[in-house]
Amino acid sequence: MRNTEKAIISTMTLLSSLVTYWYAKAAEKDAAPLVMIGGFVGSLIGEAIAEKVNKINKNN
């Protein structure tokens, strides 16, 4: 299960970082701080999803 957790967290971190990067470029803002914040938020979302998946798998 640990590899699944890592994959979920990494994927969400990457996606949120890319979204914030695209936003920063479209809004003509400095991308670095927004990408860092986006990555952090993405990792939190990924952790929450991984926790839910683990809870569902434990119940089955």
Side-chain angles (χ1 to χ4, degrees):
M1 272 312 185
R2 190 68 186 142
N3 288 336
T4 304
E5 291 175 17
K6 287 181 183 179
I8 292 170
I9 295 166
S10 296
T11 301
M12 291 306 301
T13 302
L14 175 64
L15 289 176
S16 63
S17 295
L18 287 174
V19 167
T20 54
Y21 175 78
W22 288 327
Y23 166 74
K25 288 300 179 182
E28 298 179 359
K29 296 181 182 259
D30 186 19
L34 291 175
V35 170
M36 289 190 303
I37 292 169
F40 176 73
V41 170
S43 68
L44 293 177
I45 293 168
E47 285 279 346
I49 292 171
E51 189 175 309
K52 294 285 184 185
V53 168
N54 280 340
K55 192 178 286 187
I56 290 170
N57 287 338
K58 280 186 179 181
N59 289 337
N60 290 335

